Amino acid sequence: KQEVTQIPAALSVPEGENLVLNCSFTDSAIYNLQWFRQDPGKGLTSLLLIQSSQREQTSGRLNASLDKSSGRSTLYIAASQPGDSATYLCAVSSYGGSQGNLIFGKGTKLSVKP
Amino acid sequence: GAVVSQHPSRVICKSGTSVKIECRSLDFQATTMFWYRQFPKQSLMLMATSNEGSKATYEQGVEKDKFLINHASLTLSTLTVTSAHPEDSSFYICSARAPVARGSPLAFFGQGTRLTVV
């Protein structure tokens, strides 16, 4: 059974710092991995999607890497801003299940202090 | 990207009543939709997979008689929480499986529904 773990559970940094969020998964047979942002009481915003054949994806100040063999992904946020404060979720889509359902980690709650 | 609309965004209901949540794919047809819920400080957990024209598939531990799912058309799935109790208070969110396109997500999410049962 696929399990997704995110470390740390919470992170507080001063504005301008670069930071890394970690995600690990137990079954390397994944179809893709996504990073989402969730604001309090709100839905999900998809940030980056990495296909199983890819090693990284970049969007603006965000860079996500994927090492499928070791079951790890990282989300790198450069020059953090207070507006980046949110919970960041990692989720994988696995082969074998209905493609499209995702298995989520518990998230990392990020707070960027001005 | 594709758009999925979920309604209502917030609902407060009395214990014992039923609540219906709608999930619509606005610009594509979705034969499969997924329902998740999220308790405070927990991860999103898949509750059930909704298939158009057939019965939903429920995850272990989810009561199918309590959480009624109807997927009567290719653009609409509904989740009805029957005889709601305070412990059903949670964040419910749906996603719809999209046409496969390389590099795109396999599913798109609605905005979520915050259910509070008092």
Side-chain angles (χ1 to χ4, degrees), chain A residues 17-49:
Chain A
E17 269 202 13
N18 302 324
L19 58 99
V20 175
L21 308 181
N22 298 290
C23 172
S24 61
F25 45 95
T26 54
D27 186 348
S28 62
I30 63 169
Y31 190 81
N32 61 38
L33 181 146
Q34 289 189 67
W35 283 93
F36 294 88
R37 169 185 174 139
Q38 185 177 29
D39 293 282
K42 300 287 181 64
L44 303 179
T45 301
S46 180
L47 298 174
L48 290 163
L49 179 147

PDB file of all heavy atoms in Angstrom, chain A residues 17-49:
ATOM      1  N   GLU A  17      14.421  33.801   2.302  1.00  0.00           N
ATOM      2  CA  GLU A  17      15.185  32.551   2.382  1.00  0.00           C
ATOM      3  C   GLU A  17      14.766  31.564   1.306  1.00  0.00           C
ATOM      4  O   GLU A  17      13.611  31.518   0.888  1.00  0.00           O
ATOM      5  CB  GLU A  17      14.984  31.888   3.754  1.00  0.00           C
ATOM      6  CG  GLU A  17      16.003  32.294   4.764  1.00  0.00           C
ATOM      7  CD  GLU A  17      16.134  31.300   5.894  1.00  0.00           C
ATOM      8  OE1 GLU A  17      15.620  30.165   5.782  1.00  0.00           O
ATOM      9  OE2 GLU A  17      16.752  31.680   6.890  1.00  0.00           O
ATOM     10  N   ASN A  18      15.751  30.751   0.897  1.00  0.00           N
ATOM     11  CA  ASN A  18      15.454  29.614   0.042  1.00  0.00           C
ATOM     12  C   ASN A  18      15.120  28.428   0.944  1.00  0.00           C
ATOM     13  O   ASN A  18      15.698  28.290   2.034  1.00  0.00           O
ATOM     14  CB  ASN A  18      16.660  29.255  -0.835  1.00  0.00           C
ATOM     15  CG  ASN A  18      17.098  30.425  -1.691  1.00  0.00           C
ATOM     16  OD1 ASN A  18      16.287  31.218  -2.167  1.00  0.00           O
ATOM     17  ND2 ASN A  18      18.409  30.555  -1.880  1.00  0.00           N
ATOM     18  N   LEU A  19      14.209  27.579   0.531  1.00  0.00           N
ATOM     19  CA  LEU A  19      13.836  26.470   1.394  1.00  0.00           C
ATOM     20  C   LEU A  19      13.505  25.220   0.574  1.00  0.00           C
ATOM     21  O   LEU A  19      13.220  25.294  -0.623  1.00  0.00           O
ATOM     22  CB  LEU A  19      12.652  26.863   2.275  1.00  0.00           C
ATOM     23  CG  LEU A  19      11.389  27.316   1.567  1.00  0.00           C
ATOM     24  CD1 LEU A  19      10.387  26.191   1.487  1.00  0.00           C
ATOM     25  CD2 LEU A  19      10.766  28.517   2.281  1.00  0.00           C
ATOM     26  N   VAL A  20      13.548  24.091   1.276  1.00  0.00           N
ATOM     27  CA  VAL A  20      13.289  22.801   0.640  1.00  0.00           C
ATOM     28  C   VAL A  20      12.257  22.029   1.449  1.00  0.00           C
ATOM     29  O   VAL A  20      12.392  21.889   2.667  1.00  0.00           O
ATOM     30  CB  VAL A  20      14.590  21.969   0.532  1.00  0.00           C
ATOM     31  CG1 VAL A  20      14.276  20.574  -0.016  1.00  0.00           C
ATOM     32  CG2 VAL A  20      15.599  22.679  -0.351  1.00  0.00           C
ATOM     33  N   LEU A  21      11.251  21.547   0.766  1.00  0.00           N
ATOM     34  CA  LEU A  21      10.265  20.673   1.374  1.00  0.00           C
ATOM     35  C   LEU A  21      10.475  19.260   0.841  1.00  0.00           C
ATOM     36  O   LEU A  21      10.768  19.083  -0.343  1.00  0.00           O
ATOM     37  CB  LEU A  21       8.843  21.146   1.037  1.00  0.00           C
ATOM     38  CG  LEU A  21       8.526  22.609   1.327  1.00  0.00           C
ATOM     39  CD1 LEU A  21       7.090  22.930   0.964  1.00  0.00           C
ATOM     40  CD2 LEU A  21       8.815  22.962   2.773  1.00  0.00           C
ATOM     41  N   ASN A  22      10.325  18.284   1.719  1.00  0.00           N
ATOM     42  CA  ASN A  22      10.622  16.912   1.350  1.00  0.00           C
ATOM     43  C   ASN A  22       9.379  16.031   1.322  1.00  0.00           C
ATOM     44  O   ASN A  22       8.464  16.196   2.133  1.00  0.00           O
ATOM     45  CB  ASN A  22      11.617  16.299   2.339  1.00  0.00           C
ATOM     46  CG  ASN A  22      12.941  17.028   2.325  1.00  0.00           C
ATOM     47  OD1 ASN A  22      13.684  16.951   1.365  1.00  0.00           O
ATOM     48  ND2 ASN A  22      13.216  17.768   3.390  1.00  0.00           N
ATOM     49  N   CYS A  23       9.405  15.097   0.397  1.00  0.00           N
ATOM     50  CA  CYS A  23       8.308  14.145   0.241  1.00  0.00           C
ATOM     51  C   CYS A  23       8.924  12.787  -0.054  1.00  0.00           C
ATOM     52  O   CYS A  23       9.848  12.680  -0.876  1.00  0.00           O
ATOM     53  CB  CYS A  23       7.399  14.585  -0.897  1.00  0.00           C
ATOM     54  SG  CYS A  23       6.105  13.399  -1.366  1.00  0.00           S
ATOM     55  N   SER A  24       8.419  11.751   0.603  1.00  0.00           N
ATOM     56  CA  SER A  24       8.881  10.403   0.294  1.00  0.00           C
ATOM     57  C   SER A  24       7.675   9.482   0.121  1.00  0.00           C
ATOM     58  O   SER A  24       6.618   9.714   0.717  1.00  0.00           O
ATOM     59  CB  SER A  24       9.815   9.861   1.387  1.00  0.00           C
ATOM     60  OG  SER A  24       9.133   9.798   2.620  1.00  0.00           O
ATOM     61  N   PHE A  25       7.841   8.477  -0.692  1.00  0.00           N
ATOM     62  CA  PHE A  25       6.755   7.528  -0.949  1.00  0.00           C
ATOM     63  C   PHE A  25       7.321   6.122  -0.934  1.00  0.00           C
ATOM     64  O   PHE A  25       8.485   5.896  -1.264  1.00  0.00           O
ATOM     65  CB  PHE A  25       6.036   7.826  -2.272  1.00  0.00           C
ATOM     66  CG  PHE A  25       6.929   8.112  -3.438  1.00  0.00           C
ATOM     67  CD1 PHE A  25       7.284   7.106  -4.329  1.00  0.00           C
ATOM     68  CD2 PHE A  25       7.419   9.396  -3.663  1.00  0.00           C
ATOM     69  CE1 PHE A  25       8.109   7.373  -5.414  1.00  0.00           C
ATOM     70  CE2 PHE A  25       8.250   9.668  -4.750  1.00  0.00           C
ATOM     71  CZ  PHE A  25       8.602   8.656  -5.613  1.00  0.00           C
ATOM     72  N   THR A  26       6.499   5.174  -0.535  1.00  0.00           N
ATOM     73  CA  THR A  26       7.003   3.825  -0.267  1.00  0.00           C
ATOM     74  C   THR A  26       7.041   2.929  -1.501  1.00  0.00           C
ATOM     75  O   THR A  26       7.860   2.013  -1.562  1.00  0.00           O
ATOM     76  CB  THR A  26       6.146   3.145   0.809  1.00  0.00           C
ATOM     77  OG1 THR A  26       4.771   3.183   0.401  1.00  0.00           O
ATOM     78  CG2 THR A  26       6.304   3.860   2.146  1.00  0.00           C
ATOM     79  N   ASP A  27       6.184   3.171  -2.475  1.00  0.00           N
ATOM     80  CA  ASP A  27       6.125   2.331  -3.664  1.00  0.00           C
ATOM     81  C   ASP A  27       6.571   3.153  -4.857  1.00  0.00           C
ATOM     82  O   ASP A  27       5.928   4.139  -5.208  1.00  0.00           O
ATOM     83  CB  ASP A  27       4.697   1.815  -3.875  1.00  0.00           C
ATOM     84  CG  ASP A  27       4.588   0.812  -5.025  1.00  0.00           C
ATOM     85  OD1 ASP A  27       5.555   0.670  -5.804  1.00  0.00           O
ATOM     86  OD2 ASP A  27       3.539   0.166  -5.136  1.00  0.00           O
ATOM     87  N   SER A  28       7.660   2.758  -5.465  1.00  0.00           N
ATOM     88  CA  SER A  28       8.229   3.552  -6.563  1.00  0.00           C
ATOM     89  C   SER A  28       7.460   3.415  -7.876  1.00  0.00           C
ATOM     90  O   SER A  28       7.745   4.121  -8.839  1.00  0.00           O
ATOM     91  CB  SER A  28       9.694   3.154  -6.783  1.00  0.00           C
ATOM     92  OG  SER A  28       9.775   1.789  -7.155  1.00  0.00           O
ATOM     93  N   ALA A  29       6.490   2.522  -7.919  1.00  0.00           N
ATOM     94  CA  ALA A  29       5.704   2.338  -9.145  1.00  0.00           C
ATOM     95  C   ALA A  29       4.631   3.416  -9.235  1.00  0.00           C
ATOM     96  O   ALA A  29       3.444   3.157  -9.044  1.00  0.00           O
ATOM     97  CB  ALA A  29       5.066   0.947  -9.158  1.00  0.00           C
ATOM     98  N   ILE A  30       5.063   4.617  -9.531  1.00  0.00           N
ATOM     99  CA  ILE A  30       4.124   5.727  -9.624  1.00  0.00           C
ATOM    100  C   ILE A  30       3.973   6.161 -11.066  1.00  0.00           C
ATOM    101  O   ILE A  30       4.855   5.952 -11.903  1.00  0.00           O
ATOM    102  CB  ILE A  30       4.566   6.938  -8.774  1.00  0.00           C
ATOM    103  CG1 ILE A  30       5.896   7.501  -9.276  1.00  0.00           C
ATOM    104  CG2 ILE A  30       4.660   6.545  -7.310  1.00  0.00           C
ATOM    105  CD1 ILE A  30       6.262   8.845  -8.648  1.00  0.00           C
ATOM    106  N   TYR A  31       2.830   6.773 -11.354  1.00  0.00           N
ATOM    107  CA  TYR A  31       2.574   7.311 -12.684  1.00  0.00           C
ATOM    108  C   TYR A  31       3.073   8.746 -12.769  1.00  0.00           C
ATOM    109  O   TYR A  31       3.667   9.166 -13.747  1.00  0.00           O
ATOM    110  CB  TYR A  31       1.074   7.244 -12.972  1.00  0.00           C
ATOM    111  CG  TYR A  31       0.708   7.544 -14.400  1.00  0.00           C
ATOM    112  CD1 TYR A  31       0.813   6.564 -15.390  1.00  0.00           C
ATOM    113  CD2 TYR A  31       0.249   8.795 -14.765  1.00  0.00           C
ATOM    114  CE1 TYR A  31       0.483   6.838 -16.700  1.00  0.00           C
ATOM    115  CE2 TYR A  31      -0.089   9.082 -16.070  1.00  0.00           C
ATOM    116  CZ  TYR A  31       0.028   8.099 -17.038  1.00  0.00           C
ATOM    117  OH  TYR A  31      -0.296   8.379 -18.335  1.00  0.00           O
ATOM    118  N   ASN A  32       2.776   9.521 -11.711  1.00  0.00           N
ATOM    119  CA  ASN A  32       3.310  10.872 -11.614  1.00  0.00           C
ATOM    120  C   ASN A  32       3.267  11.340 -10.167  1.00  0.00           C
ATOM    121  O   ASN A  32       2.721  10.647  -9.294  1.00  0.00           O
ATOM    122  CB  ASN A  32       2.568  11.853 -12.532  1.00  0.00           C
ATOM    123  CG  ASN A  32       1.090  11.980 -12.203  1.00  0.00           C
ATOM    124  OD1 ASN A  32       0.694  11.967 -11.048  1.00  0.00           O
ATOM    125  ND2 ASN A  32       0.269  12.135 -13.229  1.00  0.00           N
ATOM    126  N   LEU A  33       3.841  12.480  -9.925  1.00  0.00           N
ATOM    127  CA  LEU A  33       3.846  13.086  -8.597  1.00  0.00           C
ATOM    128  C   LEU A  33       3.488  14.549  -8.757  1.00  0.00           C
ATOM    129  O   LEU A  33       3.964  15.218  -9.690  1.00  0.00           O
ATOM    130  CB  LEU A  33       5.214  12.932  -7.935  1.00  0.00           C
ATOM    131  CG  LEU A  33       5.377  13.488  -6.513  1.00  0.00           C
ATOM    132  CD1 LEU A  33       6.336  12.603  -5.711  1.00  0.00           C
ATOM    133  CD2 LEU A  33       5.885  14.917  -6.523  1.00  0.00           C
ATOM    134  N   GLN A  34       2.656  15.043  -7.881  1.00  0.00           N
ATOM    135  CA  GLN A  34       2.251  16.447  -7.950  1.00  0.00           C
ATOM    136  C   GLN A  34       2.519  17.143  -6.627  1.00  0.00           C
ATOM    137  O   GLN A  34       2.406  16.534  -5.556  1.00  0.00           O
ATOM    138  CB  GLN A  34       0.747  16.573  -8.252  1.00  0.00           C
ATOM    139  CG  GLN A  34       0.364  16.177  -9.660  1.00  0.00           C
ATOM    140  CD  GLN A  34      -1.081  16.520  -9.956  1.00  0.00           C
ATOM    141  OE1 GLN A  34      -1.469  17.678 -10.017  1.00  0.00           O
ATOM    142  NE2 GLN A  34      -1.890  15.491 -10.156  1.00  0.00           N
ATOM    143  N   TRP A  35       2.833  18.406  -6.726  1.00  0.00           N
ATOM    144  CA  TRP A  35       2.887  19.281  -5.564  1.00  0.00           C
ATOM    145  C   TRP A  35       1.727  20.266  -5.663  1.00  0.00           C
ATOM    146  O   TRP A  35       1.485  20.854  -6.728  1.00  0.00           O
ATOM    147  CB  TRP A  35       4.209  20.041  -5.519  1.00  0.00           C
ATOM    148  CG  TRP A  35       5.360  19.213  -5.046  1.00  0.00           C
ATOM    149  CD1 TRP A  35       6.238  18.502  -5.806  1.00  0.00           C
ATOM    150  CD2 TRP A  35       5.764  19.024  -3.685  1.00  0.00           C
ATOM    151  NE1 TRP A  35       7.160  17.876  -5.011  1.00  0.00           N
ATOM    152  CE2 TRP A  35       6.901  18.182  -3.702  1.00  0.00           C
ATOM    153  CE3 TRP A  35       5.290  19.484  -2.452  1.00  0.00           C
ATOM    154  CZ2 TRP A  35       7.567  17.784  -2.543  1.00  0.00           C
ATOM    155  CZ3 TRP A  35       5.943  19.093  -1.302  1.00  0.00           C
ATOM    156  CH2 TRP A  35       7.071  18.253  -1.350  1.00  0.00           C
ATOM    157  N   PHE A  36       1.010  20.410  -4.538  1.00  0.00           N
ATOM    158  CA  PHE A  36      -0.121  21.309  -4.462  1.00  0.00           C
ATOM    159  C   PHE A  36       0.112  22.332  -3.358  1.00  0.00           C
ATOM    160  O   PHE A  36       0.857  22.102  -2.396  1.00  0.00           O
ATOM    161  CB  PHE A  36      -1.416  20.561  -4.107  1.00  0.00           C
ATOM    162  CG  PHE A  36      -1.902  19.602  -5.147  1.00  0.00           C
ATOM    163  CD1 PHE A  36      -1.466  18.287  -5.153  1.00  0.00           C
ATOM    164  CD2 PHE A  36      -2.824  20.000  -6.095  1.00  0.00           C
ATOM    165  CE1 PHE A  36      -1.932  17.378  -6.101  1.00  0.00           C
ATOM    166  CE2 PHE A  36      -3.302  19.100  -7.046  1.00  0.00           C
ATOM    167  CZ  PHE A  36      -2.845  17.797  -7.044  1.00  0.00           C
ATOM    168  N   ARG A  37      -0.592  23.409  -3.484  1.00  0.00           N
ATOM    169  CA  ARG A  37      -0.658  24.398  -2.423  1.00  0.00           C
ATOM    170  C   ARG A  37      -2.107  24.436  -1.932  1.00  0.00           C
ATOM    171  O   ARG A  37      -3.051  24.417  -2.739  1.00  0.00           O
ATOM    172  CB  ARG A  37      -0.241  25.753  -2.975  1.00  0.00           C
ATOM    173  CG  ARG A  37      -0.515  26.905  -2.054  1.00  0.00           C
ATOM    174  CD  ARG A  37      -0.187  28.224  -2.691  1.00  0.00           C
ATOM    175  NE  ARG A  37      -0.601  29.291  -1.801  1.00  0.00           N
ATOM    176  CZ  ARG A  37       0.106  30.381  -1.569  1.00  0.00           C
ATOM    177  NH1 ARG A  37       1.258  30.568  -2.186  1.00  0.00           N
ATOM    178  NH2 ARG A  37      -0.336  31.297  -0.744  1.00  0.00           N
ATOM    179  N   GLN A  38      -2.273  24.497  -0.612  1.00  0.00           N
ATOM    180  CA  GLN A  38      -3.612  24.614  -0.032  1.00  0.00           C
ATOM    181  C   GLN A  38      -3.603  25.755   0.965  1.00  0.00           C
ATOM    182  O   GLN A  38      -2.846  25.749   1.929  1.00  0.00           O
ATOM    183  CB  GLN A  38      -4.037  23.307   0.657  1.00  0.00           C
ATOM    184  CG  GLN A  38      -5.462  23.339   1.180  1.00  0.00           C
ATOM    185  CD  GLN A  38      -5.897  22.023   1.796  1.00  0.00           C
ATOM    186  OE1 GLN A  38      -5.091  21.268   2.326  1.00  0.00           O
ATOM    187  NE2 GLN A  38      -7.198  21.717   1.718  1.00  0.00           N
ATOM    188  N   ASP A  39      -4.458  26.735   0.718  1.00  0.00           N
ATOM    189  CA  ASP A  39      -4.623  27.837   1.654  1.00  0.00           C
ATOM    190  C   ASP A  39      -5.731  27.484   2.634  1.00  0.00           C
ATOM    191  O   ASP A  39      -6.627  26.707   2.298  1.00  0.00           O
ATOM    192  CB  ASP A  39      -4.919  29.129   0.895  1.00  0.00           C
ATOM    193  CG  ASP A  39      -3.722  29.581   0.072  1.00  0.00           C
ATOM    194  OD1 ASP A  39      -2.805  30.148   0.691  1.00  0.00           O
ATOM    195  OD2 ASP A  39      -3.687  29.339  -1.147  1.00  0.00           O
ATOM    196  N   PRO A  40      -5.711  28.056   3.831  1.00  0.00           N
ATOM    197  CA  PRO A  40      -6.678  27.664   4.873  1.00  0.00           C
ATOM    198  C   PRO A  40      -8.113  27.682   4.379  1.00  0.00           C
ATOM    199  O   PRO A  40      -8.579  28.689   3.848  1.00  0.00           O
ATOM    200  CB  PRO A  40      -6.437  28.697   5.968  1.00  0.00           C
ATOM    201  CG  PRO A  40      -5.013  29.113   5.799  1.00  0.00           C
ATOM    202  CD  PRO A  40      -4.774  29.091   4.307  1.00  0.00           C
ATOM    203  N   GLY A  41      -8.809  26.570   4.553  1.00  0.00           N
ATOM    204  CA  GLY A  41     -10.203  26.482   4.179  1.00  0.00           C
ATOM    205  C   GLY A  41     -10.466  26.502   2.684  1.00  0.00           C
ATOM    206  O   GLY A  41     -11.621  26.602   2.263  1.00  0.00           O
ATOM    207  N   LYS A  42      -9.430  26.399   1.900  1.00  0.00           N
ATOM    208  CA  LYS A  42      -9.592  26.485   0.453  1.00  0.00           C
ATOM    209  C   LYS A  42      -9.251  25.153  -0.222  1.00  0.00           C
ATOM    210  O   LYS A  42      -8.762  24.224   0.401  1.00  0.00           O
ATOM    211  CB  LYS A  42      -8.669  27.579  -0.107  1.00  0.00           C
ATOM    212  CG  LYS A  42      -8.939  28.967   0.453  1.00  0.00           C
ATOM    213  CD  LYS A  42     -10.197  29.557  -0.103  1.00  0.00           C
ATOM    214  CE  LYS A  42     -10.473  30.948   0.426  1.00  0.00           C
ATOM    215  NZ  LYS A  42      -9.446  31.923   0.016  1.00  0.00           N
ATOM    216  N   GLY A  43      -9.511  25.124  -1.525  1.00  0.00           N
ATOM    217  CA  GLY A  43      -9.197  23.940  -2.305  1.00  0.00           C
ATOM    218  C   GLY A  43      -7.717  23.842  -2.616  1.00  0.00           C
ATOM    219  O   GLY A  43      -6.888  24.463  -1.960  1.00  0.00           O
ATOM    220  N   LEU A  44      -7.416  23.052  -3.624  1.00  0.00           N
ATOM    221  CA  LEU A  44      -6.031  22.787  -3.986  1.00  0.00           C
ATOM    222  C   LEU A  44      -5.630  23.548  -5.238  1.00  0.00           C
ATOM    223  O   LEU A  44      -6.401  23.628  -6.188  1.00  0.00           O
ATOM    224  CB  LEU A  44      -5.833  21.294  -4.250  1.00  0.00           C
ATOM    225  CG  LEU A  44      -6.209  20.346  -3.121  1.00  0.00           C
ATOM    226  CD1 LEU A  44      -5.977  18.911  -3.543  1.00  0.00           C
ATOM    227  CD2 LEU A  44      -5.415  20.663  -1.872  1.00  0.00           C
ATOM    228  N   THR A  45      -4.416  24.064  -5.205  1.00  0.00           N
ATOM    229  CA  THR A  45      -3.830  24.673  -6.394  1.00  0.00           C
ATOM    230  C   THR A  45      -2.669  23.807  -6.828  1.00  0.00           C
ATOM    231  O   THR A  45      -1.728  23.608  -6.058  1.00  0.00           O
ATOM    232  CB  THR A  45      -3.339  26.104  -6.097  1.00  0.00           C
ATOM    233  OG1 THR A  45      -4.435  26.892  -5.649  1.00  0.00           O
ATOM    234  CG2 THR A  45      -2.730  26.721  -7.347  1.00  0.00           C
ATOM    235  N   SER A  46      -2.741  23.285  -8.028  1.00  0.00           N
ATOM    236  CA  SER A  46      -1.658  22.449  -8.524  1.00  0.00           C
ATOM    237  C   SER A  46      -0.465  23.335  -8.880  1.00  0.00           C
ATOM    238  O   SER A  46      -0.592  24.312  -9.613  1.00  0.00           O
ATOM    239  CB  SER A  46      -2.111  21.676  -9.764  1.00  0.00           C
ATOM    240  OG  SER A  46      -1.068  20.862 -10.255  1.00  0.00           O
ATOM    241  N   LEU A  47       0.695  23.006  -8.327  1.00  0.00           N
ATOM    242  CA  LEU A  47       1.908  23.802  -8.562  1.00  0.00           C
ATOM    243  C   LEU A  47       2.784  23.191  -9.649  1.00  0.00           C
ATOM    244  O   LEU A  47       3.187  23.868 -10.594  1.00  0.00           O
ATOM    245  CB  LEU A  47       2.711  23.911  -7.263  1.00  0.00           C
ATOM    246  CG  LEU A  47       2.019  24.609  -6.101  1.00  0.00           C
ATOM    247  CD1 LEU A  47       2.873  24.497  -4.849  1.00  0.00           C
ATOM    248  CD2 LEU A  47       1.722  26.066  -6.423  1.00  0.00           C
ATOM    249  N   LEU A  48       3.102  21.936  -9.455  1.00  0.00           N
ATOM    250  CA  LEU A  48       3.997  21.258 -10.388  1.00  0.00           C
ATOM    251  C   LEU A  48       3.593  19.803 -10.504  1.00  0.00           C
ATOM    252  O   LEU A  48       3.170  19.193  -9.517  1.00  0.00           O
ATOM    253  CB  LEU A  48       5.457  21.342  -9.921  1.00  0.00           C
ATOM    254  CG  LEU A  48       6.122  22.711 -10.001  1.00  0.00           C
ATOM    255  CD1 LEU A  48       7.381  22.752  -9.156  1.00  0.00           C
ATOM    256  CD2 LEU A  48       6.447  23.064 -11.449  1.00  0.00           C
ATOM    257  N   LEU A  49       3.730  19.263 -11.686  1.00  0.00           N
ATOM    258  CA  LEU A  49       3.481  17.846 -11.925  1.00  0.00           C
ATOM    259  C   LEU A  49       4.709  17.253 -12.579  1.00  0.00           C
ATOM    260  O   LEU A  49       5.228  17.812 -13.556  1.00  0.00           O
ATOM    261  CB  LEU A  49       2.258  17.669 -12.828  1.00  0.00           C
ATOM    262  CG  LEU A  49       1.868  16.227 -13.186  1.00  0.00           C
ATOM    263  CD1 LEU A  49       0.364  16.107 -13.329  1.00  0.00           C
ATOM    264  CD2 LEU A  49       2.534  15.784 -14.481  1.00  0.00           C
TER     265      LEU A  49
END
